Amino acid sequence: GIGNVGIGTATITGSGTTLHLHNPSAGAYATTIHLTTADTGAAIGDGAVFQLDGNDELVIGTLDSERLILMTNGSERMQISATGLVGIGTTAPNTLLDLNSGSAACSGVLGISQGGTLRGKISTRAEIRATGADYDLGVYSCGSLNLYAKCNGATAQMVVHCTGVGIGTDTPAYTFDVTKTVAGDNLGFFHNTSATGNTLTVFQTGTSSSQYT
């Protein structure tokens, strides 16, 4: 059409194509747009590229030690640092994937949806990490760490709170607080499969212990 430009080809293909770049050489050759400035220099390893390589793979990136930035509505939304760290909502990622909501400390930054409905989220105060040979799961200051199990329509709950550990209650009043809410259920069951030893020992410093067999 009028005003359309073809480089490397006399036939401009594709509906609405204004600029068509074509490398007629097969093999490991690439069709490349190489962007440089006076600051980056004009050598083959300077600036940035938009490239269709010899394997028909699209390559977009920088050739020097600069970030790759994605923007929408005039603002930076995502970046890949020169060392490969990915940041969403942050201009200074500290990990391989760094998500920053930029709002309240306990707001969600990673959501899990089903059929368009938000089912769960990971907040900025939740942490799962490996420390040496140990694995930690925790929260900082957004309240409790809640563990749930859904069984036959009922929800069993365990809460790790600043005040203690609660089973059957989300507000433990003691270091270890077990609450029974279903009539007829046993509060607890301790089974010692060994022929020796105590099933349960309760001990307080400075006093004698209570043992149950």
Side-chain angles (χ1 to χ4, degrees):
I2 299 175
N4 297 340
V5 177
I7 299 177
T9 178
T11 304
I12 301 174
T13 59
S15 176
T17 299
T18 303
L19 175 62
H20 185 171
L21 304 181
H22 177 70
N23 188 340
S25 300
Y29 297 96
T31 301
T32 304
I33 299 176
H34 188 184
L35 306 174
T36 61
T37 68
D39 294 324
T40 65
I44 192 171
D46 295 331
V49 296
F50 189 93
Q51 178 185 90
L52 184 65
D53 68 11
N55 295 318
D56 294 333
E57 297 172 336
L58 181 63
V59 178
I60 303 173
T62 62
L63 298 174
D64 44 24
S65 57
E66 299 296 336
R67 303 178 297 158
L68 175 64
I69 300 173
L70 299 180
M71 300 175 59
T72 62
N73 199 28
S75 298
E76 178 179 330
R77 306 299 184 188
M78 175 179 173
Q79 70 150 270
I80 304 175
S81 73
T83 57
L85 304 182
V86 178
I88 299 177
T90 175
T91 59
N94 295 305
T95 58
L96 284 176
L97 177 59
D98 193 340
L99 307 178
N100 185 354
S101 68
S103 55
C106 297
S107 62
V109 295
L110 181 61
I112 302 172
S113 298
Q114 179 185 23
T117 301
L118 181 65
R119 299 297 186 185
K121 64 183 181 180
I122 297 177
S123 77
T124 53
R125 291 293 184 173
E127 181 181 61
I128 301 175
R129 66 178 180 177
T131 306
D134 299 325
Y135 293 90
D136 301 330
L137 170 64
V139 294
Y140 282 107
S141 60
C142 296
S144 304
L145 171 62
N146 301 314
L147 304 177
Y148 294 94
K150 200 78 170 180
C151 302
N152 299 323
T155 300
Q157 179 182 10
M158 177 177 176
V159 174
V160 181
H161 193 271
C162 296
T163 58
V165 177
I167 298 179
T169 174
D170 57 3
T171 56
Y174 309 97
T175 302
F176 185 57
D177 190 344
V178 180
T179 300
K180 181 176 75 71
T181 58
V182 180
D185 281 357
N186 295 315
L187 180 62
F189 181 75
F190 300 88
H191 184 200
N192 184 0
T193 59
S194 173
T196 60
N198 298 304
T199 300
L200 177 65
T201 299
V202 181
F203 180 82
Q204 181 177 351
T205 301
T207 64
S208 60
S209 63
S210 298
Q211 299 177 343
Y212 304 90
T213 58

